[in-house]
Amino acid sequence: MDRTRTTRRLQRRASPYSLGQHRTRVSEGEHPDTSQKDLRVRLLEWKAREDGAGPSSSVDVHRENLISSAEDVSKGRKRRPDLDLTEMKDESELCTANILPAHVQKAAFEAKYKQQKKLGVGGCASVFAGYRKADHLPVAIKRVPSDKQCIKHVEKNGKTLPMEVAIMLKLVAKTSGSAASSAPVSLLDWYDLEQELILVLERPDPCVDLAMYMFSKGGLQEKEAKIILKQLVDALIELQDKHIFHRDIKVENILIETGLDFPRVRIIDFGLSCFVKKGASYQHFYGTPSHAPPEMYNCQRYRAGPTTVWQMGVVLFEALHKNTSFETLKYFKNGLTFSKMLSKDCKDFLQMCLTEDPKQRQTLEQLKHHPWLGLTNNDHTSPRHTILKSSKF
């Protein structure tokens, strides 16, 4: 029965990135399409001609005043060359197109990317395979209807962005090195078309989500699960250090690159994510209901750090117990138990993640040094005997 339920679960939710046999990766230092880097300039010129202002020979956009720059171009006025639009190399490059009218943005998207078949659909978005026309770089195209964008972020300058965009722009801004060295998949472009939001995301190839990866193997052995969990702990600590709360860490939102000598972890779907302040707690749960931490049931409040650790424990439990879907309430009614085949250290790691009291639950930093992961850094003290600290958030 469990196997049938797992099969149906995987069929209902295809991985939004599991497509293609040819492996293409974003190389170090690569940024969104430089071979067509005059595209937005040409679109602005086209808009100026459409408005009857006549052709413009060049468009220079000031970094701190992009909106007024676009208005000036549409009226045929030239701007001083403080910053050439085509030379922007950081997150502001990803914001530039979004000051334009929806029909211009749509034209820019269609000129730059080719959308292919649907890969997956969820409660808030649909994801399609695609590629960048200039170099055939595989991308994932996520389309979110406007009425499904329930979480917004207000920047210091008063500008409102979809929260998922704000989160991913911060990840782009704070990532050192290349997109290929980052655990979260990278945002390459985004377009706000009024009726829907389009996110163009990095799509590692070949890859599958962890749910499908586990299913294809009939579950994971401890050795392979440990390789994945080591990377996941590091990735979640990185998000925590950037004050980002994913909210929905689960096997379907963990991507596994399969073209390497080891399974490489990538994190996807920041649609429910938020920025978090130290000590903040939440009343309304966003995420997978069956994975809600016990404190949500006990006191109707939860915090980022302990919740993330709980969800990581859920991931490890499902990875090591094939064809078994985790449910918080079932777990505490003794309906789910650890396999007797697991090592003592592995069971202890799981117990540290799935502790009912969030104040006693281990932090990500403590778990990083757990003996099961083999990262003790000469500190051989068992986490069970260390002084328990509250989570960073």
Side-chain angles (χ1 to χ4, degrees):
M1 182 179 295
D2 283 341
R3 184 176 182 86
T4 301
R5 183 169 57 188
T6 302
T7 303
R8 289 175 179 171
R9 175 186 175 192
L10 291 168
Q11 289 173 340
R12 283 197 305 269
R13 189 196 185 285
S15 168
Y17 292 83
S18 54
L19 180 77
Q21 301 298 321
H22 301 290
R23 177 168 168 245
T24 306
R25 295 181 56 185
V26 180
S27 61
E28 184 170 356
E30 185 173 8
H31 294 270
D33 190 8
T34 55
S35 64
Q36 289 190 350
K37 62 185 181 182
D38 64 332
L39 174 61
R40 293 184 180 123
V41 174
R42 289 188 283 108
L43 283 167
L44 284 170
E45 293 172 352
W46 167 74
K47 183 178 185 299
R49 291 193 296 272
E50 187 182 60
D51 293 342
S56 175
S57 59
S58 65
V59 181
D60 294 301
V61 182
H62 191 277
R63 185 177 195 151
E64 300 299 326
N65 198 7
L66 295 176
I67 294 179
S68 62
S69 298
E71 291 174 347
D72 285 346
V73 169
S74 68
K75 295 175 182 178
R77 298 198 298 265
K78 292 185 178 181
R79 299 284 294 180
R80 61 189 180 88
D82 292 315
L83 179 68
D84 191 328
L85 173 67
T86 65
E87 295 300 321
M88 288 189 291
K89 294 295 183 181
D90 59 15
E91 72 276 13
S92 62
E93 182 174 12
L94 298 179
C95 298
T96 305
N98 312 101
I99 64 174
L100 303 177
H103 69 283
V104 180
Q105 291 188 50
K106 183 178 180 181
F109 167 73
E110 292 175 348
K112 192 172 182 181
Y113 299 100
K114 174 66 176 179
Q115 180 173 298
Q116 298 172 303
K117 74 174 186 179
K118 183 180 290 187
L119 297 177
V121 60
C124 297
S126 298
V127 181
F128 299 81
Y131 62 87
R132 195 166 61 194
K133 293 181 180 180
D135 55 7
H136 287 263
L137 178 78
V139 298
I141 298 169
K142 183 174 182 178
R143 308 185 82 122
V144 188
S146 296
D147 60 355
K148 299 296 185 180
Q149 298 170 39
C150 55
I151 307 176
K152 299 288 185 178
H153 172 70
V154 180
E155 296 188 311
K156 292 180 180 180
N157 61 7
K159 183 178 180 180
T160 300
L161 292 175
M163 181 61 78
E164 186 171 9
V165 171
I167 292 285
M168 301 205 76
L169 288 177
K170 183 167 184 177
L171 289 172
V172 169
K174 299 297 182 181
T175 298
S176 59
S178 67
S181 67
S182 174
V185 296
S186 296
L187 178 67
L188 302 180
D189 260 321
W190 66 284
Y191 303 85
D192 190 348
L193 305 185
E194 296 178 355
Q195 297 302 313
E196 68 173 345
L197 173 70
I198 297 179
L199 304 180
V200 182
L201 303 161
E202 175 192 7
R203 177 164 62 92
D205 186 20
C207 66
V208 293
D209 68 29
L210 181 55
M212 188 61 68
Y213 186 77
M214 290 157 33
F215 183 75
S216 67
K217 289 174 168 282
L220 300 184
Q221 299 299 313
E222 267 194 48
K223 182 178 180 180
E224 190 167 22
K226 185 184 301 187
I227 293 171
I228 290 171
L229 259 290
K230 282 183 179 181
Q231 297 175 67
L232 183 58
V233 169
D234 286 338
L236 295 177
I237 288 176
E238 180 183 355
L239 292 181
Q240 179 178 264
D241 289 343
K242 294 172 181 175
H243 305 283
I244 294 172
F245 181 17
H246 187 285
R247 296 192 194 223
D248 198 23
I249 294 297
K250 58 183 179 180
V251 292
E252 292 88 353
N253 287 339
I254 298 170
L255 198 64
I256 302 296
E257 288 192 52
T258 58
L260 305 173
D261 295 332
F262 62 95
R264 186 193 169 202
V265 167
R266 309 299 297 277
I267 297 177
I268 61 174
D269 198 350
F270 287 81
L272 298 177
S273 301
C274 67
F275 293 111
V276 62
K277 294 181 180 180
K278 186 175 181 179
S281 63
Y282 305 87
Q283 287 181 294
H284 302 290
F285 184 73
Y286 294 90
T288 302
S290 60
H291 298 169
E295 54 267 30
M296 192 62 208
Y297 297 99
N298 294 336
C299 57
Q300 289 75 53
R301 297 195 77 88
Y302 65 99
R303 291 166 55 235
T307 299
T308 299
V309 170
W310 177 266
Q311 292 178 343
M312 188 175 70
V314 172
V315 168
L316 180 58
F317 183 95
E318 292 191 340
L320 294 172
H321 298 80
K322 65 180 181 179
N323 304 321
T324 302
S325 298
F326 187 94
E327 296 179 21
T328 297
L329 292 180
K330 188 176 180 181
Y331 175 73
F332 282 108
K333 291 179 180 178
N334 297 318
L336 299 173
T337 57
F338 299 160
S339 170
K340 296 180 180 179
M341 302 298 292
L342 300 180
S343 68
K344 181 180 178 181
D345 278 343
C346 184
K347 290 178 183 178
D348 186 71
F349 187 94
L350 271 171
Q351 186 61 57
M352 294 300 98
C353 294
L354 300 176
T355 297
E356 182 174 2
D357 185 352
K359 295 181 180 179
Q360 299 300 313
R361 205 172 297 151
Q362 294 282 283
T363 66
L364 289 169
E365 291 84 356
Q366 289 171 324
L367 290 168
K368 179 180 174 69
H369 301 289
H370 192 282
W372 184 65
L373 292 183
L375 298 175
T376 57
N377 288 342
N378 298 321
D379 179 6
H380 301 292
T381 305
S382 170
R384 285 175 293 184
H385 299 121
T386 58
I387 298 174
L388 292 175
K389 300 179 291 185
S390 61
S391 172
K392 183 172 183 179
F393 294 141

